[in-house]
Coordinates of all heavy atoms in Angstrom, one line a residue:
A1 N 0.8 -1.2 0.0 CA 0.0 0.0 0.0 C 0.9 1.3 0.0 O 0.6 2.2 -0.7 CB -0.9 0.0 1.2
A2 N 1.9 1.3 0.8 CA 2.8 2.4 0.8 C 3.5 2.7 -0.6 O 3.6 3.8 -1.0 CB 3.9 2.2 1.9
R3 N 3.8 1.6 -1.3 CA 4.4 1.8 -2.6 C 3.3 2.3 -3.6 O 3.6 3.2 -4.4 CB 4.9 0.4 -3.2 CG 6.2 0.0 -2.5 CD 6.9 -1.1 -3.2 NE 6.2 -2.4 -3.1 CZ 5.7 -3.1 -4.2 NH1 5.7 -2.5 -5.4 NH2 5.1 -4.2 -4.0
A4 N 2.1 1.8 -3.5 CA 1.0 2.3 -4.3 C 0.7 3.7 -4.0 O 0.5 4.5 -5.0 CB -0.3 1.4 -4.1
D5 N 0.7 4.1 -2.8 CA 0.5 5.5 -2.4 C 1.6 6.4 -3.0 O 1.2 7.5 -3.5 CB 0.4 5.7 -0.9 CG -0.8 5.1 -0.3 OD1 -1.8 4.8 -1.0 OD2 -0.8 4.9 1.0
R6 N 2.8 6.0 -3.1 CA 3.9 6.8 -3.7 C 3.6 6.9 -5.2 O 3.8 8.0 -5.8 CB 5.2 6.2 -3.4 CG 5.7 6.3 -2.0 CD 7.2 6.0 -1.8 NE 7.5 4.6 -2.1 CZ 7.6 3.6 -1.2 NH1 7.2 3.8 0.0 NH2 7.9 2.4 -1.6
V7 N 3.2 5.8 -5.9 CA 2.9 5.9 -7.3 C 1.8 6.9 -7.5 O 1.9 7.7 -8.4 CB 2.5 4.5 -7.9 CG1 2.0 4.6 -9.3 CG2 3.7 3.6 -7.8
I8 N 0.8 6.8 -6.7 CA -0.4 7.7 -6.9 C 0.0 9.2 -6.6 O -0.3 10.1 -7.4 CB -1.5 7.3 -5.9 CG1 -2.1 6.0 -6.4 CG2 -2.6 8.4 -5.8 CD1 -3.0 5.3 -5.4
A9 N 0.8 9.4 -5.6 CA 1.3 10.8 -5.3 C 2.1 11.4 -6.5 O 1.9 12.5 -6.8 CB 2.1 10.8 -4.0
R10 N 3.0 10.6 -7.1 CA 3.7 11.0 -8.2 C 2.8 11.3 -9.4 O 3.0 12.3 -10.1 CB 4.8 10.0 -8.6 CG 6.0 10.1 -7.6 CD 7.2 9.3 -8.2 NE 6.9 7.8 -8.2 CZ 7.1 7.0 -7.2 NH1 7.5 7.4 -6.0 NH2 6.9 5.7 -7.4
A11 N 1.8 10.4 -9.7 CA 0.9 10.6 -10.8 C 0.1 11.9 -10.6 O -0.1 12.6 -11.6 CB 0.0 9.4 -10.9
R12 N -0.2 12.2 -9.4 CA -1.1 13.4 -9.1 C -0.3 14.7 -9.3 O -0.9 15.8 -9.3 CB -1.7 13.3 -7.8 CG -2.8 12.3 -7.8 CD -3.5 12.2 -6.4 NE -4.7 11.2 -6.5 CZ -5.3 10.8 -5.5 NH1 -5.0 11.2 -4.3 NH2 -6.4 9.9 -5.7
T13 N 1.1 14.6 -9.4 CA 1.8 15.8 -9.6 C 1.8 16.3 -11.1 O 2.2 17.4 -11.4 CB 3.3 15.7 -9.2 OG1 3.9 14.7 -10.0 CG2 3.4 15.3 -7.7
H14 N 1.4 15.4 -12.0 CA 1.3 15.7 -13.4 C 0.0 16.3 -13.8 O -1.1 16.0 -13.2 CB 1.5 14.4 -14.2 CG 2.8 13.7 -14.0 ND1 4.0 14.3 -14.3 CD2 3.1 12.5 -13.5 CE1 5.0 13.4 -14.0 NE2 4.4 12.3 -13.5
E15 N 0.0 17.2 -14.7 CA -1.2 17.8 -15.2 C -1.9 16.8 -16.1 O -3.2 16.7 -16.1 CB -0.9 19.1 -16.1 CG -0.4 20.2 -15.2 CD -1.5 20.8 -14.3 OE1 -2.6 20.9 -14.8 OE2 -1.2 21.1 -13.2
G16 N -1.2 16.0 -16.9 CA -1.8 15.0 -17.8 C -1.8 13.7 -17.2 O -1.6 13.4 -16.0
D17 N -2.2 12.7 -18.0 CA -2.3 11.3 -17.6 C -1.0 10.6 -17.5 O -0.1 10.9 -18.2 CB -3.2 10.6 -18.6 CG -4.6 11.1 -18.7 OD1 -5.1 11.7 -17.7 OD2 -5.3 10.9 -19.7
T18 N -1.0 9.6 -16.6 CA 0.1 8.7 -16.4 C -0.3 7.3 -16.7 O -1.3 6.9 -16.3 CB 0.6 8.8 -14.9 OG1 1.0 10.1 -14.5 CG2 1.7 7.8 -14.6
L19 N 0.5 6.7 -17.5 CA 0.3 5.3 -17.9 C 1.3 4.4 -17.1 O 2.5 4.7 -17.1 CB 0.5 5.1 -19.4 CG 0.5 3.7 -20.0 CD1 -0.9 3.1 -19.8 CD2 0.8 3.8 -21.5
C20 N 0.8 3.4 -16.4 CA 1.6 2.5 -15.6 C 1.4 1.1 -16.2 O 0.3 0.6 -16.4 CB 1.2 2.5 -14.2 SG 1.3 4.1 -13.4
F21 N 2.5 0.4 -16.3 CA 2.5 -1.0 -16.7 C 3.0 -1.8 -15.4 O 4.1 -1.6 -14.9 CB 3.5 -1.3 -17.8 CG 3.0 -0.8 -19.1 CD1 3.4 0.5 -19.5 CD2 2.2 -1.6 -20.0 CE1 2.9 1.0 -20.7 CE2 1.8 -1.0 -21.2 CZ 2.1 0.2 -21.5
A22 N 2.1 -2.6 -14.9 CA 2.3 -3.3 -13.6 C 1.8 -4.7 -13.6 O 1.7 -5.4 -14.6 CB 1.7 -2.4 -12.5
H23 N 1.3 -5.1 -12.4 CA 1.0 -6.5 -12.2 C -0.4 -6.7 -11.5 O -1.0 -5.7 -11.1 CB 2.1 -7.2 -11.3 CG 3.4 -6.9 -11.8 ND1 4.0 -7.8 -12.7 CD2 4.3 -5.9 -11.6 CE1 5.2 -7.3 -13.0 NE2 5.5 -6.2 -12.3
G24 N -0.8 -7.9 -11.3 CA -2.2 -8.1 -10.8 C -2.4 -7.6 -9.4 O -3.3 -6.8 -9.2
H25 N -1.6 -8.1 -8.4 CA -1.9 -7.7 -7.0 C -1.6 -6.2 -6.8 O -2.4 -5.5 -6.2 CB -1.2 -8.6 -6.0 CG -1.9 -9.9 -5.8 ND1 -1.3 -11.1 -5.9 CD2 -3.2 -10.1 -5.5 CE1 -2.2 -12.1 -5.7 NE2 -3.4 -11.5 -5.4
V26 N -0.4 -5.7 -7.2 CA -0.1 -4.3 -7.0 C -1.1 -3.4 -7.7 O -1.5 -2.4 -7.2 CB 1.4 -4.0 -7.3 CG1 1.6 -4.0 -8.8 CG2 1.8 -2.7 -6.7
G27 N -1.6 -3.9 -8.9 CA -2.6 -3.1 -9.6 C -3.9 -3.0 -8.9 O -4.5 -1.9 -8.8
R28 N -4.3 -4.1 -8.3 CA -5.5 -4.1 -7.5 C -5.4 -3.2 -6.2 O -6.3 -2.5 -5.9 CB -5.8 -5.5 -7.1 CG -6.2 -6.4 -8.3 CD -6.2 -7.9 -8.0 NE -7.4 -8.2 -7.2 CZ -7.7 -9.5 -6.9 NH1 -6.9 -10.5 -7.3 NH2 -8.7 -9.7 -6.2
V29 N -4.2 -3.2 -5.6 CA -4.0 -2.3 -4.5 C -4.0 -0.8 -5.0 O -4.6 0.0 -4.3 CB -2.6 -2.6 -3.8 CG1 -2.2 -1.6 -2.8 CG2 -2.7 -4.0 -3.1
L30 N -3.4 -0.6 -6.1 CA -3.5 0.8 -6.7 C -4.9 1.3 -6.9 O -5.2 2.4 -6.6 CB -2.7 0.9 -8.1 CG -1.3 1.1 -8.1 CD1 -0.7 0.8 -9.5 CD2 -1.0 2.5 -7.7
G31 N -5.7 0.4 -7.4 CA -7.1 0.8 -7.6 C -7.8 1.1 -6.3 O -8.5 2.1 -6.2
A32 N -7.6 0.3 -5.3 CA -8.3 0.5 -4.0 C -7.8 1.8 -3.4 O -8.5 2.6 -2.9 CB -8.0 -0.7 -3.1
R33 N -6.4 2.0 -3.4 CA -5.9 3.2 -2.8 C -6.2 4.4 -3.5 O -6.4 5.5 -2.9 CB -4.3 3.0 -2.7 CG -3.9 1.9 -1.8 CD -4.3 1.9 -0.4 NE -3.8 3.1 0.3 CZ -4.5 3.9 1.1 NH1 -5.8 3.6 1.5 NH2 -4.0 5.0 1.6
W34 N -6.4 4.4 -4.8 CA -6.8 5.6 -5.6 C -8.1 6.1 -5.1 O -8.2 7.4 -5.0 CB -6.9 5.2 -7.1 CG -7.3 6.4 -7.9 CD1 -8.6 6.6 -8.4 CD2 -6.5 7.4 -8.4 NE1 -8.6 7.8 -9.1 CE2 -7.4 8.3 -9.1 CE3 -5.1 7.7 -8.3 CZ2 -6.9 9.5 -9.8 CZ3 -4.7 8.9 -9.0 CH2 -5.5 9.7 -9.7
V35 N -9.0 5.3 -4.8 CA -10.4 5.7 -4.3 C -10.5 5.8 -2.8 O -11.6 5.9 -2.3 CB -11.5 4.9 -4.9 CG1 -11.6 5.1 -6.5 CG2 -11.4 3.4 -4.6
G36 N -9.3 5.7 -2.1 CA -9.3 6.0 -0.7 C -9.7 4.8 0.2 O -10.0 4.9 1.3
L37 N -9.7 3.6 -0.4 CA -10.0 2.4 0.3 C -8.8 1.7 0.9 O -7.7 1.9 0.4 CB -10.8 1.4 -0.6 CG -12.1 1.8 -1.1 CD1 -12.7 0.8 -2.1 CD2 -13.1 2.0 0.0
P38 N -8.9 0.9 1.9 CA -7.8 0.1 2.4 C -7.3 -0.8 1.3 O -8.0 -1.2 0.4 CB -8.3 -0.7 3.6 CG -9.7 -0.2 3.8 CD -10.2 0.6 2.6
A39 N -6.0 -1.1 1.4 CA -5.4 -2.0 0.3 C -6.1 -3.3 0.2 O -6.2 -3.8 -0.9 CB -3.9 -2.2 0.7
A40 N -6.6 -3.8 1.3 CA -7.3 -5.1 1.3 C -8.5 -5.1 0.4 O -9.0 -6.1 0.0 CB -7.6 -5.6 2.7
A41 N -9.1 -3.9 0.1 CA -10.2 -3.8 -0.8 C -9.9 -4.2 -2.2 O -10.8 -4.5 -3.0 CB -10.8 -2.4 -0.8
G42 N -8.6 -4.3 -2.5 CA -8.2 -4.8 -3.8 C -8.7 -6.3 -4.0 O -8.7 -6.7 -5.2
A43 N -9.0 -7.0 -3.0 CA -9.6 -8.3 -3.1 C -10.8 -8.3 -4.0 O -11.2 -9.3 -4.6 CB -9.9 -8.9 -1.7
R44 N -11.5 -7.2 -4.0 CA -12.8 -7.1 -4.8 C -12.6 -6.5 -6.2 O -13.6 -6.3 -6.9 CB -13.7 -6.1 -4.0 CG -13.9 -6.6 -2.6 CD -15.4 -6.6 -2.2 NE -15.6 -6.9 -0.8 CZ -15.8 -8.1 -0.3 NH1 -15.8 -9.2 -1.1 NH2 -16.0 -8.3 1.0
L45 N -11.3 -6.4 -6.6 CA -11.0 -5.8 -7.9 C -10.3 -6.8 -8.8 O -9.1 -6.8 -8.9 CB -10.2 -4.5 -7.8 CG -10.9 -3.4 -7.0 CD1 -9.9 -2.3 -6.8 CD2 -12.1 -2.9 -7.7
A46 N -11.0 -7.8 -9.4 CA -10.3 -8.8 -10.2 C -9.6 -8.1 -11.3 O -10.0 -7.0 -11.8 CB -11.4 -9.7 -10.8
L47 N -8.4 -8.6 -11.7 CA -7.6 -8.0 -12.7 C -6.9 -9.1 -13.6 O -6.0 -9.7 -13.2 CB -6.6 -7.1 -12.1 CG -5.8 -6.1 -12.9 CD1 -6.8 -5.2 -13.7 CD2 -4.9 -5.3 -12.1
A48 N -7.4 -9.2 -14.8 CA -6.9 -10.2 -15.7 C -5.7 -9.7 -16.4 O -5.4 -8.5 -16.4 CB -8.0 -10.6 -16.8

């Protein structure tokens, strides 16, 4: 979650969009943390 929060903080410093190439679990944590949920909420975000 701390790593995901750092990615999000850096992305939010940009005016434009950030494209990230990552993995299943860390991507699910990114999704949960983006919307302010605990990292464990990533369990509800399937990612193929």
